[in-house]
Amino acid sequence: MSKKPEATVKTVRITRLAHKGDGVAETDAGQVFVPYTLEGELVSASVQGARAELKEIVEPSPDRVAPVCKHYGVCGGCSLQHMDEASYKDFKRQQVIDALSSRGIETPVDDVVVCGKGSRRRAVFAAVLAGHKVLFGYHTAKSNRLVDIEECPVIAPEIMKAVPGLRKLAGVILPRKGELKFTVTTTQSGLDVAIGGLGKTKDKHYLELSQAAVENDFARLTVDGETIIEIRSPLLDMSGTAVPIPAGGFIQAALSAETTMGELLAEGLSGCKRVADLFCGAGTLTFRIAQFANVHAVEGDASSLKALDLGLRRAKGLKKVTTERRDLFRRPIVAKDLDNFGKGYDGVVFDPPRAGAHAQAQELAKSPVKKIVAVSCSPASFARDLRELLDGGYEIKRVVPIDQFLHSPHVEVVALLERSA
């Protein structure tokens, strides 16, 4: 087994930023990636192979700003707090441009739509015992170590306010070894808390779990998929419909991002009468589409479809909505079914997980569907899927990056496409 190279302190010049936001320096030994740096900066770093740890900013960039969180540089979540607004937005937009270019796609890309601070309505924490102390927070970058957080400017204030109570509960139920995951979501009814990793030991903690939920006024507390107590049904407003979300189920990270997506849907699907909403989740976009078109919503997760169906029972003034449980990775809707002898869909929306929707995009490329809205949290898989659609005869009308992952290198992206005449 080869030994890792020893760390050496070097002074290097950052020439560009990589797609994950690390600065890249060109050295005699090859490229070196230095986190928390900006293009043009001269920095001192402890270099070990292709990775480095920042020691000092020798010549700072004029685009550098003071971080807004005390945990910056230790917590693994917000790696871009040192960038001013203009360079930050340019970086996010360039992520999309570069991904498209890698697939030979040259098209205008809109400015980034940025969500505000404190807008993340879900946080995923970890908890672990360190001796007699409970650590509750986020993992450090590229490590299993935990940062015991005291503040977090990106998540909703009501989530941060609940952290002391969650930390106290963790101290009661934590196993001696291993860690627990706490997924906390803001809803119209209060916080929805889902704990994972307790296993068989949850049986002896029912009382403490229930008491903690009541004391902290959680809407619902779930452990490893089992509802311990539901005081109020956790509801999310999806385009005017209150939908009871599944524990830990997919939602858009920020409400303002969901609103922007809804506006783009209305633009991209203008004139459509029958729309397929693929990878629909609990109806994040379904209810918006149903305001102007009939919708067939397709999703592989049973709990998400159940939530959507429950929401439909509460909905008023919508067009017809049908649902189907289907694994679109294994069984994409094929071109002939999208057409249905000329009586099929004139619009399609797809919003898949990070892996993208390659098989479904291949079928869409062979279909006569007139308008498509593609949504993705991964510019790389997004560009790959768009390449299939363009090769199948579609044209890009608009590409919009949406930043609902504030201070991170991640970016959401929406494309509006139409089939060429």
Side-chain angles (χ1 to χ4, degrees):
M1 183 181 295
S2 60
K3 293 183 179 179
K4 289 184 177 180
E6 293 186 4
T8 305
V9 176
K10 296 182 179 180
T11 300
V12 296
R13 178 76 66 181
I14 304 302
T15 58
R16 63 182 178 86
L17 297 186
H19 72 281
K20 291 186 178 180
D22 292 343
V24 181
E26 302 290 344
T27 73
D28 293 340
Q31 291 183 343
V32 174
F33 295 85
V34 190
Y36 312 117
T37 58
L38 296 174
E39 183 177 340
E41 290 186 327
L42 187 68
V43 304
S44 173
S46 178
V47 179
Q48 188 173 26
R51 303 297 307 176
E53 179 183 348
L54 178 64
K55 294 298 184 182
E56 181 186 0
I57 305 292
V58 181
E59 295 179 7
S61 164
D63 298 332
R64 177 173 287 275
V65 296
V68 296
C69 177
K70 68 191 301 180
H71 302 300
Y72 163 80
V74 181
C75 166
C78 295
S79 58
L80 303 180
Q81 286 189 15
H82 57 291
M83 302 176 73
D84 69 10
E85 183 178 359
S87 57
Y88 174 77
K89 291 174 70 174
D90 285 346
F91 170 77
K92 294 257 178 166
R93 180 172 176 269
Q94 195 63 44
Q95 294 279 77
V96 178
I97 293 172
D98 290 346
L100 294 173
S101 181
S102 72
R103 295 284 176 171
I105 304 172
E106 303 297 331
T107 188
V109 175
D110 282 21
D111 289 339
V112 178
V113 179
V114 179
C115 300
K117 292 181 175 63
S119 62
R120 287 286 294 272
R121 52 184 177 176
R122 168 169 291 170
V124 181
F125 303 106
V128 69
L129 282 175
H132 296 292
K133 183 179 180 181
V134 176
L135 298 181
F136 188 93
Y138 304 125
H139 287 108
T140 60
K142 299 178 178 64
S143 169
N144 289 325
R145 292 185 296 114
L146 279 186
V147 180
D148 194 44
I149 66 162
E150 299 176 18
E151 63 182 27
C152 181
V154 301
I155 62 175
E158 53 265 47
I159 296 180
M160 193 61 225
K161 186 178 179 181
V163 165
L166 291 167
R167 184 183 282 114
K168 180 180 177 182
L169 173 59
V172 175
I173 65 174
L174 266 169
R176 292 184 178 180
K177 294 183 179 181
E179 67 177 41
L180 298 179
K181 182 173 78 171
F182 287 71
T183 302
V184 187
T185 308
T186 63
T187 77
Q188 292 177 310
S189 321
L191 294 182
D192 184 29
V193 179
I195 302 173
L198 199 55
K200 296 179 181 179
T201 60
K202 73 173 180 290
D203 295 344
K204 67 178 183 180
H205 290 302
Y206 270 100
L207 180 59
E208 294 98 326
L209 289 162
S210 299
Q211 287 178 336
V214 172
E215 290 172 3
N216 292 279
D217 196 29
F218 300 149
R220 178 176 64 188
L221 178 61
T222 306
V223 177
D224 293 328
E226 178 184 345
T227 299
I228 302 300
I229 184 171
E230 184 173 304
I231 300 172
R232 298 173 298 277
S233 179
L235 304 173
L236 280 188
D237 182 348
M238 296 187 182
S239 302
T241 298
V243 180
I245 60 169
F250 171 79
I251 62 170
Q252 297 297 341
L255 178 59
S256 61
E258 184 178 308
T259 300
T260 299
M261 290 178 196
E263 294 168 352
L264 290 168
L265 284 175
E267 177 184 340
L269 300 174
S270 175
C272 292
K273 295 182 178 180
R274 188 164 185 242
V275 175
D277 182 10
L278 310 182
F279 305 94
C280 67
T284 302
L285 304 177
T286 309
F287 292 94
R288 172 74 67 155
I289 303 166
Q291 293 176 350
F292 58 82
N294 296 332
V295 188
H296 183 56
V298 185
E299 169 60 43
D301 180 65
S303 61
S304 294
L305 272 188
K306 181 180 178 181
L308 195 160
D309 286 331
L310 289 172
L312 289 173
R313 297 177 192 178
R314 304 165 179 259
K316 295 180 180 180
L318 299 181
K319 301 288 187 179
K320 182 180 179 181
V321 179
T322 56
T323 62
E324 177 185 355
R325 186 182 179 190
R326 184 178 184 133
D327 185 341
L328 290 165
F329 293 108
R330 295 177 180 272
R331 294 179 54 238
I333 299 179
V334 297
K336 67 177 183 179
D337 290 337
L338 289 164
D339 179 30
N340 192 22
F341 302 103
K343 299 180 180 179
Y345 305 101
D346 50 4
V348 167
V349 176
F350 65 94
D351 182 9
R354 184 168 293 275
H358 195 205
Q360 186 60 71
Q362 289 175 322
E363 292 299 327
L364 283 166
K366 296 181 287 188
S367 79
V369 172
K370 295 178 182 178
K371 296 185 176 183
I372 295 176
V373 177
V375 184
S376 176
C377 60
S378 167
S381 62
F382 172 80
R384 179 203 62 204
D385 296 346
L386 251 60
R387 181 72 270 169
E388 294 287 351
L389 297 174
L390 296 179
D391 290 345
Y394 286 90
E395 295 179 350
I396 295 176
K397 296 300 181 180
R398 192 176 178 192
V399 176
V400 184
I402 301 173
D403 179 31
Q404 59 175 336
F405 309 108
L406 200 61
H407 300 311
S408 83
H410 304 296
V411 61
E412 195 90 11
V413 59
V414 180
L416 313 184
L417 302 101
E418 292 184 16
R419 182 163 283 288
S420 305

